[in-house]
Amino acid sequence: MTPRMSTLVTTVAAAVLVGLVAVAPASGATLPGRAAASTDDATATTTVNGYRNVGYYGGWQATGAAHATLKRLFVDTGAAQNITHLNYAFGNIAGSQDALDAARKKGVQGLDGVKPYTCFISDAAAGATGQTDAGQTDAAGDASSDFVRAYSAADAVLGVADQSATKQPLAGNFNQLRELKRLYPDLKITISLGGWSWSKSFSKAVATAEGRAALASSCIDLYIKGNLPVIDGRGGKGAAAGIFDGIDLDWEWPGAPDWAQETGNTVDPAGDRANFLAFVKELRTQLDALSAQNGDDYQLSAFLPASPTVIEAGGWNAPELFRYLDYGNLQGYDLWGSWSTETGHQANIVGDPNNNGDLGLDTIVASYRDAGVDPAQLNIGVPAYGQGWKDAANKPWTAGTGIGQQTWDQLKARHLQVSQEYTADGRFNATWGYDAKTREFWSFDDPFAVSQKTKWAIGQGLGGMDYWELSGDIAGNLSAAGATVMRSADHGPVAGNPALLCRNTPHSAAKAWNGQTTYRKGDLAYLDGKVYEALWFAKGDLPGADTKGPWQTFTACGIDPSTVQQWAADRVYDHGDKVVYKGRTYTAQWWTRGDVPGADRNTPWR
């Protein structure tokens, strides 16, 4: 167990928190990266130097106050260089037959054929059954955000406006996710089911073996196979196929007491724990069966609680659970919050027995690791927001009145006085900020805190970091801080491939292709795992779509263009150029484009 705190506080005044340089902790405080062998039996995935860097994205944020479209997050900024997994939040689970019938009578779309306690997508807000309580989410959905809303060219990942429903069955965020995978084919995208507002029906859905099988099948059919309902002309069979690489379970919280539940949640304190484990096993079995059919690997993850009571109630730290999960994202935030009349740390590393029941990242990780969970299957959660109090002193664990949350982007623009807390032996513990004019105290993570937490996580043998939620950090400051530490550490414990495809390309001039960009001869752009070179003026011409068009294949992403490349039908070759085709090397005898090597005696290839 780590030594308890005797804090040292370093105070820094900064107009903008990005790039904040804090006074270094005492010697020995920075933990070195730990070398670890890759786990051979793990599902191959995308990593940053053997670590996961997972970002959650709330689909509703694209039209929210921050206008956090996927284009802003992954194209207009550098965040795509650092995120290995994108968890799209959230998917809902249907309620009772009565609730579904009531919603259908009110004209809710997306519920045709939906059975109770299965995955679905509808166009109904909460309260579709006629009730307006927070827990009335039996038929709630956000089809508009998910796949109905048309994107303008300016907001679209590829700079191409969505067409009418008769010409384009898939629009909304799902289509933006599909476009994002064209830029970054190695990005793993999963659908996150539940969340705080949509965990109402989990308990009844998994109460029987038949129910568990039906729920798993419906989720796979809807999200993995992409068989969407038809809403406002969008959707249909296979419309979203190939977008999601797996499922993330965010059931909050099986078997837990009322204080840990959203209003209206169904809970079975006696049965939820066993039923949850059985459902995860069933879902893993069905995903593996589909994988055996089509050869694709599907990932299964979960959002993991921090509270010892909630962990025990749901059996979240049972080693058997992690036989079926690829990894879990630990709730590393909201350990304390503005619901209290006392300021404090919402995301501290070291638990303090004098405050908040000794809860810290160290005690949370220990509750999983000591139960037998492989630490490489755990990621540490980072908040992209702060918890705030007014009428407060510039000190944690003192009186204050809670004022809710602000995003990292809002906080970094506030000219806060930033303090870093260290333990008696010089190890980083937590960050907070103070506004002396308004007497506001804010508990949050800045890039310095994330870098220190990532070093700590690596020292604990953990598999990576995760961030809730990306729209609070438009520029990707936090995920960049974590990824920077990962790249400089010894190779991590997660089996998989580096996040290289079209991201960290050696061709610095290559940018993500965009339909609104004007390209001239010699310009480079990447798409679908390849770097393309413009042969002449191009705007709106899709690379790879026409073997006689303005684009030629330059190289596969991540491949040095000086090596002998695979033959490409769209590339112009001159005398002496070499290519590989069907395992054989050919040399061009004269200018050629589109002539297949070895096709006939008159071929320009020797």
Side-chain angles (χ1 to χ4, degrees), residues 534-567:
L535 294 170
W536 55 81
F537 174 95
K539 184 176 182 180
D541 302 278
L542 196 68
D546 185 357
T547 59
K548 298 180 180 180
W551 292 99
Q552 69 170 349
T553 301
F554 184 70
T555 182
C557 289
I559 302 298
D560 188 335
S562 66
T563 62
V564 178
Q565 304 282 313
Q566 293 288 331
W567 174 78

mmCIF file of all heavy atoms in Angstrom, residues 534-567:
data_model
loop_
_atom_site.group_PDB
_atom_site.id
_atom_site.type_symbol
_atom_site.label_atom_id
_atom_site.label_comp_id
_atom_site.label_asym_id
_atom_site.label_seq_id
_atom_site.Cartn_x
_atom_site.Cartn_y
_atom_site.Cartn_z
ATOM 1 N N ALA A 534 -1.623 13.815 -56.049
ATOM 2 C CA ALA A 534 -2.386 14.476 -57.100
ATOM 3 C C ALA A 534 -1.528 14.623 -58.351
ATOM 4 O O ALA A 534 -0.400 15.105 -58.293
ATOM 5 C CB ALA A 534 -2.855 15.844 -56.629
ATOM 6 N N LEU A 535 -2.080 14.196 -59.500
ATOM 7 C CA LEU A 535 -1.371 14.314 -60.784
ATOM 8 C C LEU A 535 -1.641 15.660 -61.441
ATOM 9 O O LEU A 535 -0.856 16.126 -62.270
ATOM 10 C CB LEU A 535 -1.799 13.183 -61.714
ATOM 11 C CG LEU A 535 -1.388 11.778 -61.270
ATOM 12 C CD1 LEU A 535 -2.077 10.730 -62.130
ATOM 13 C CD2 LEU A 535 0.121 11.622 -61.329
ATOM 14 N N TRP A 536 -2.767 16.246 -61.104
ATOM 15 C CA TRP A 536 -3.115 17.578 -61.582
ATOM 16 C C TRP A 536 -4.154 18.163 -60.625
ATOM 17 O O TRP A 536 -4.423 17.570 -59.575
ATOM 18 C CB TRP A 536 -3.614 17.556 -63.032
ATOM 19 C CG TRP A 536 -4.791 16.627 -63.301
ATOM 20 C CD1 TRP A 536 -6.102 16.872 -63.060
ATOM 21 C CD2 TRP A 536 -4.734 15.314 -63.864
ATOM 22 N NE1 TRP A 536 -6.880 15.806 -63.429
ATOM 23 C CE2 TRP A 536 -6.064 14.838 -63.949
ATOM 24 C CE3 TRP A 536 -3.699 14.497 -64.330
ATOM 25 C CZ2 TRP A 536 -6.390 13.574 -64.437
ATOM 26 C CZ3 TRP A 536 -4.027 13.237 -64.829
ATOM 27 C CH2 TRP A 536 -5.352 12.799 -64.885
ATOM 28 N N PHE A 537 -4.718 19.296 -60.947
ATOM 29 C CA PHE A 537 -5.709 19.957 -60.103
ATOM 30 C C PHE A 537 -6.840 18.991 -59.741
ATOM 31 O O PHE A 537 -7.348 18.266 -60.600
ATOM 32 C CB PHE A 537 -6.272 21.180 -60.834
ATOM 33 C CG PHE A 537 -7.401 21.866 -60.106
ATOM 34 C CD1 PHE A 537 -7.150 22.944 -59.282
ATOM 35 C CD2 PHE A 537 -8.710 21.421 -60.245
ATOM 36 C CE1 PHE A 537 -8.195 23.588 -58.611
ATOM 37 C CE2 PHE A 537 -9.756 22.044 -59.580
ATOM 38 C CZ PHE A 537 -9.488 23.140 -58.750
ATOM 39 N N ALA A 538 -7.234 18.991 -58.464
ATOM 40 C CA ALA A 538 -8.338 18.128 -58.029
ATOM 41 C C ALA A 538 -9.088 18.799 -56.889
ATOM 42 O O ALA A 538 -8.476 19.379 -55.983
ATOM 43 C CB ALA A 538 -7.807 16.770 -57.585
ATOM 44 N N LYS A 539 -10.393 18.711 -56.923
ATOM 45 C CA LYS A 539 -11.242 19.139 -55.818
ATOM 46 C C LYS A 539 -12.527 18.330 -55.872
ATOM 47 O O LYS A 539 -13.268 18.389 -56.859
ATOM 48 C CB LYS A 539 -11.554 20.633 -55.881
ATOM 49 C CG LYS A 539 -12.372 21.119 -54.671
ATOM 50 C CD LYS A 539 -12.597 22.623 -54.678
ATOM 51 C CE LYS A 539 -13.365 23.041 -53.428
ATOM 52 N NZ LYS A 539 -13.609 24.505 -53.401
ATOM 53 N N GLY A 540 -12.764 17.564 -54.830
ATOM 54 C CA GLY A 540 -13.955 16.728 -54.773
ATOM 55 C C GLY A 540 -13.791 15.385 -55.439
ATOM 56 O O GLY A 540 -14.689 14.545 -55.366
ATOM 57 N N ASP A 541 -12.659 15.150 -56.112
ATOM 58 C CA ASP A 541 -12.406 13.858 -56.748
ATOM 59 C C ASP A 541 -11.922 12.866 -55.691
ATOM 60 O O ASP A 541 -10.917 13.111 -55.024
ATOM 61 C CB ASP A 541 -11.344 14.006 -57.843
ATOM 62 C CG ASP A 541 -11.746 15.015 -58.907
ATOM 63 O OD1 ASP A 541 -12.510 14.651 -59.812
ATOM 64 O OD2 ASP A 541 -11.292 16.182 -58.802
ATOM 65 N N LEU A 542 -12.621 11.754 -55.557
ATOM 66 C CA LEU A 542 -12.306 10.785 -54.510
ATOM 67 C C LEU A 542 -11.119 9.925 -54.920
ATOM 68 O O LEU A 542 -11.170 9.234 -55.954
ATOM 69 C CB LEU A 542 -13.532 9.896 -54.249
ATOM 70 C CG LEU A 542 -13.527 9.091 -52.958
ATOM 71 C CD1 LEU A 542 -13.631 10.014 -51.747
ATOM 72 C CD2 LEU A 542 -14.710 8.114 -52.956
ATOM 73 N N PRO A 543 -10.041 9.919 -54.153
ATOM 74 C CA PRO A 543 -8.901 9.054 -54.474
ATOM 75 C C PRO A 543 -9.312 7.587 -54.498
ATOM 76 O O PRO A 543 -10.095 7.123 -53.664
ATOM 77 C CB PRO A 543 -7.919 9.331 -53.338
ATOM 78 C CG PRO A 543 -8.269 10.692 -52.850
ATOM 79 C CD PRO A 543 -9.761 10.778 -52.997
ATOM 80 N N GLY A 544 -8.790 6.861 -55.488
ATOM 81 C CA GLY A 544 -9.084 5.436 -55.601
ATOM 82 C C GLY A 544 -10.359 5.108 -56.330
ATOM 83 O O GLY A 544 -10.650 3.943 -56.578
ATOM 84 N N ALA A 545 -11.144 6.123 -56.667
ATOM 85 C CA ALA A 545 -12.439 5.878 -57.307
ATOM 86 C C ALA A 545 -12.328 5.740 -58.818
ATOM 87 O O ALA A 545 -13.212 5.177 -59.456
ATOM 88 C CB ALA A 545 -13.412 7.003 -56.970
ATOM 89 N N ASP A 546 -11.245 6.264 -59.405
ATOM 90 C CA ASP A 546 -11.118 6.285 -60.864
ATOM 91 C C ASP A 546 -9.660 6.054 -61.228
ATOM 92 O O ASP A 546 -8.786 6.828 -60.841
ATOM 93 C CB ASP A 546 -11.602 7.637 -61.401
ATOM 94 C CG ASP A 546 -11.606 7.702 -62.924
ATOM 95 O OD1 ASP A 546 -11.172 6.719 -63.563
ATOM 96 O OD2 ASP A 546 -12.022 8.745 -63.465
ATOM 97 N N THR A 547 -9.395 4.997 -61.991
ATOM 98 C CA THR A 547 -8.013 4.687 -62.372
ATOM 99 C C THR A 547 -7.463 5.657 -63.409
ATOM 100 O O THR A 547 -6.280 5.629 -63.727
ATOM 101 C CB THR A 547 -7.915 3.263 -62.925
ATOM 102 O OG1 THR A 547 -8.777 3.138 -64.069
ATOM 103 C CG2 THR A 547 -8.304 2.244 -61.872
ATOM 104 N N LYS A 548 -8.325 6.526 -63.931
ATOM 105 C CA LYS A 548 -7.864 7.519 -64.903
ATOM 106 C C LYS A 548 -8.029 8.943 -64.380
ATOM 107 O O LYS A 548 -7.883 9.903 -65.122
ATOM 108 C CB LYS A 548 -8.632 7.361 -66.214
ATOM 109 C CG LYS A 548 -8.421 6.012 -66.890
ATOM 110 C CD LYS A 548 -9.205 5.923 -68.193
ATOM 111 C CE LYS A 548 -8.992 4.564 -68.866
ATOM 112 N NZ LYS A 548 -9.751 4.457 -70.136
ATOM 113 N N GLY A 549 -8.337 9.048 -63.095
ATOM 114 C CA GLY A 549 -8.587 10.352 -62.510
ATOM 115 C C GLY A 549 -7.332 11.075 -62.068
ATOM 116 O O GLY A 549 -6.207 10.675 -62.389
ATOM 117 N N PRO A 550 -7.506 12.163 -61.292
ATOM 118 C CA PRO A 550 -6.371 13.013 -60.929
ATOM 119 C C PRO A 550 -5.502 12.472 -59.797
ATOM 120 O O PRO A 550 -4.503 13.101 -59.450
ATOM 121 C CB PRO A 550 -7.044 14.318 -60.513
ATOM 122 C CG PRO A 550 -8.383 13.896 -60.003
ATOM 123 C CD PRO A 550 -8.794 12.739 -60.861
ATOM 124 N N TRP A 551 -5.866 11.316 -59.235
ATOM 125 C CA TRP A 551 -5.098 10.775 -58.114
ATOM 126 C C TRP A 551 -4.398 9.473 -58.509
ATOM 127 O O TRP A 551 -4.969 8.642 -59.199
ATOM 128 C CB TRP A 551 -5.999 10.493 -56.912
ATOM 129 C CG TRP A 551 -6.567 11.717 -56.267
ATOM 130 C CD1 TRP A 551 -7.810 12.242 -56.452
ATOM 131 C CD2 TRP A 551 -5.896 12.570 -55.343
ATOM 132 N NE1 TRP A 551 -7.975 13.367 -55.699
ATOM 133 C CE2 TRP A 551 -6.812 13.592 -54.995
ATOM 134 C CE3 TRP A 551 -4.627 12.572 -54.769
ATOM 135 C CZ2 TRP A 551 -6.491 14.610 -54.102
ATOM 136 C CZ3 TRP A 551 -4.309 13.595 -53.871
ATOM 137 C CH2 TRP A 551 -5.229 14.588 -53.543
ATOM 138 N N GLN A 552 -3.164 9.321 -58.015
ATOM 139 C CA GLN A 552 -2.473 8.043 -58.154
ATOM 140 C C GLN A 552 -2.005 7.577 -56.777
ATOM 141 O O GLN A 552 -1.692 8.388 -55.899
ATOM 142 C CB GLN A 552 -1.272 8.153 -59.095
ATOM 143 C CG GLN A 552 -0.110 8.983 -58.576
ATOM 144 C CD GLN A 552 1.120 8.850 -59.450
ATOM 145 O OE1 GLN A 552 1.194 7.992 -60.324
ATOM 146 N NE2 GLN A 552 2.124 9.693 -59.207
ATOM 147 N N THR A 553 -1.986 6.267 -56.585
ATOM 148 C CA THR A 553 -1.513 5.703 -55.335
ATOM 149 C C THR A 553 -0.023 6.000 -55.171
ATOM 150 O O THR A 553 0.781 5.710 -56.052
ATOM 151 C CB THR A 553 -1.738 4.183 -55.292
ATOM 152 O OG1 THR A 553 -3.143 3.927 -55.446
ATOM 153 C CG2 THR A 553 -1.251 3.595 -53.981
ATOM 154 N N PHE A 554 0.319 6.606 -54.050
ATOM 155 C CA PHE A 554 1.712 6.950 -53.769
ATOM 156 C C PHE A 554 2.383 5.824 -52.977
ATOM 157 O O PHE A 554 3.474 5.376 -53.306
ATOM 158 C CB PHE A 554 1.747 8.264 -52.997
ATOM 159 C CG PHE A 554 3.126 8.790 -52.721
ATOM 160 C CD1 PHE A 554 3.913 9.291 -53.743
ATOM 161 C CD2 PHE A 554 3.637 8.805 -51.435
ATOM 162 C CE1 PHE A 554 5.181 9.791 -53.492
ATOM 163 C CE2 PHE A 554 4.901 9.303 -51.170
ATOM 164 C CZ PHE A 554 5.678 9.796 -52.200
ATOM 165 N N THR A 555 1.710 5.358 -51.915
ATOM 166 C CA THR A 555 2.210 4.253 -51.100
ATOM 167 C C THR A 555 1.102 3.812 -50.164
ATOM 168 O O THR A 555 0.135 4.533 -49.956
ATOM 169 C CB THR A 555 3.439 4.667 -50.265
ATOM 170 O OG1 THR A 555 3.914 3.550 -49.513
ATOM 171 C CG2 THR A 555 3.108 5.791 -49.305
ATOM 172 N N ALA A 556 1.235 2.619 -49.603
ATOM 173 C CA ALA A 556 0.345 2.231 -48.515
ATOM 174 C C ALA A 556 0.777 2.991 -47.268
ATOM 175 O O ALA A 556 1.965 3.259 -47.070
ATOM 176 C CB ALA A 556 0.429 0.722 -48.266
ATOM 177 N N CYS A 557 -0.165 3.395 -46.440
ATOM 178 C CA CYS A 557 0.186 4.158 -45.246
ATOM 179 C C CYS A 557 1.153 3.370 -44.372
ATOM 180 O O CYS A 557 0.982 2.172 -44.163
ATOM 181 C CB CYS A 557 -1.067 4.503 -44.449
ATOM 182 S SG CYS A 557 -2.087 5.741 -45.241
ATOM 183 N N GLY A 558 2.158 4.052 -43.894
ATOM 184 C CA GLY A 558 3.141 3.407 -43.039
ATOM 185 C C GLY A 558 4.243 2.690 -43.790
ATOM 186 O O GLY A 558 5.156 2.141 -43.177
ATOM 187 N N ILE A 559 4.177 2.682 -45.134
ATOM 188 C CA ILE A 559 5.191 2.015 -45.952
ATOM 189 C C ILE A 559 6.091 3.074 -46.602
ATOM 190 O O ILE A 559 5.605 4.028 -47.211
ATOM 191 C CB ILE A 559 4.547 1.143 -47.050
ATOM 192 C CG1 ILE A 559 3.633 0.090 -46.412
ATOM 193 C CG2 ILE A 559 5.618 0.486 -47.901
ATOM 194 C CD1 ILE A 559 4.335 -0.879 -45.493
ATOM 195 N N ASP A 560 7.381 2.887 -46.488
ATOM 196 C CA ASP A 560 8.343 3.810 -47.084
ATOM 197 C C ASP A 560 8.167 3.806 -48.606
ATOM 198 O O ASP A 560 8.238 2.749 -49.237
ATOM 199 C CB ASP A 560 9.763 3.374 -46.721
ATOM 200 C CG ASP A 560 10.814 4.392 -47.139
ATOM 201 O OD1 ASP A 560 10.568 5.167 -48.078
ATOM 202 O OD2 ASP A 560 11.891 4.393 -46.522
ATOM 203 N N PRO A 561 7.933 4.972 -49.210
ATOM 204 C CA PRO A 561 7.693 5.007 -50.660
ATOM 205 C C PRO A 561 8.915 4.615 -51.487
ATOM 206 O O PRO A 561 8.787 4.356 -52.689
ATOM 207 C CB PRO A 561 7.301 6.465 -50.919
ATOM 208 C CG PRO A 561 7.881 7.230 -49.781
ATOM 209 C CD PRO A 561 7.818 6.308 -48.596
ATOM 210 N N SER A 562 10.087 4.570 -50.864
ATOM 211 C CA SER A 562 11.284 4.179 -51.615
ATOM 212 C C SER A 562 11.370 2.676 -51.821
ATOM 213 O O SER A 562 12.164 2.198 -52.624
ATOM 214 C CB SER A 562 12.543 4.667 -50.892
ATOM 215 O OG SER A 562 12.714 4.004 -49.646
ATOM 216 N N THR A 563 10.549 1.906 -51.090
ATOM 217 C CA THR A 563 10.534 0.460 -51.283
ATOM 218 C C THR A 563 9.716 0.109 -52.526
ATOM 219 O O THR A 563 8.932 0.919 -53.015
ATOM 220 C CB THR A 563 9.924 -0.251 -50.066
ATOM 221 O OG1 THR A 563 8.572 0.171 -49.910
ATOM 222 C CG2 THR A 563 10.702 0.073 -48.804
ATOM 223 N N VAL A 564 9.884 -1.105 -53.020
ATOM 224 C CA VAL A 564 9.091 -1.558 -54.165
ATOM 225 C C VAL A 564 7.658 -1.786 -53.692
ATOM 226 O O VAL A 564 7.417 -2.573 -52.782
ATOM 227 C CB VAL A 564 9.685 -2.842 -54.779
ATOM 228 C CG1 VAL A 564 8.807 -3.324 -55.932
ATOM 229 C CG2 VAL A 564 11.107 -2.592 -55.261
ATOM 230 N N GLN A 565 6.713 -1.103 -54.339
ATOM 231 C CA GLN A 565 5.315 -1.126 -53.921
ATOM 232 C C GLN A 565 4.511 -2.178 -54.686
ATOM 233 O O GLN A 565 4.913 -2.640 -55.762
ATOM 234 C CB GLN A 565 4.691 0.244 -54.166
ATOM 235 C CG GLN A 565 5.409 1.397 -53.507
ATOM 236 C CD GLN A 565 5.112 1.521 -52.035
ATOM 237 O OE1 GLN A 565 3.961 1.466 -51.627
ATOM 238 N NE2 GLN A 565 6.148 1.684 -51.226
ATOM 239 N N GLN A 566 3.367 -2.516 -54.136
ATOM 240 C CA GLN A 566 2.409 -3.331 -54.865
ATOM 241 C C GLN A 566 1.902 -2.531 -56.071
ATOM 242 O O GLN A 566 1.730 -1.313 -55.996
ATOM 243 C CB GLN A 566 1.233 -3.718 -53.963
ATOM 244 C CG GLN A 566 1.580 -4.658 -52.837
ATOM 245 C CD GLN A 566 1.855 -6.061 -53.317
ATOM 246 O OE1 GLN A 566 1.311 -6.507 -54.329
ATOM 247 N NE2 GLN A 566 2.697 -6.790 -52.593
ATOM 248 N N TRP A 567 1.664 -3.220 -57.192
ATOM 249 C CA TRP A 567 1.140 -2.547 -58.371
ATOM 250 C C TRP A 567 -0.208 -1.909 -58.066
ATOM 251 O O TRP A 567 -1.060 -2.492 -57.387
ATOM 252 C CB TRP A 567 0.988 -3.545 -59.517
ATOM 253 C CG TRP A 567 0.314 -2.954 -60.728
ATOM 254 C CD1 TRP A 567 0.868 -2.139 -61.661
ATOM 255 C CD2 TRP A 567 -1.056 -3.141 -61.125
ATOM 256 N NE1 TRP A 567 -0.052 -1.800 -62.628
ATOM 257 C CE2 TRP A 567 -1.243 -2.404 -62.321
ATOM 258 C CE3 TRP A 567 -2.125 -3.856 -60.588
ATOM 259 C CZ2 TRP A 567 -2.473 -2.371 -62.981
ATOM 260 C CZ3 TRP A 567 -3.354 -3.812 -61.242
ATOM 261 C CH2 TRP A 567 -3.513 -3.074 -62.427
#
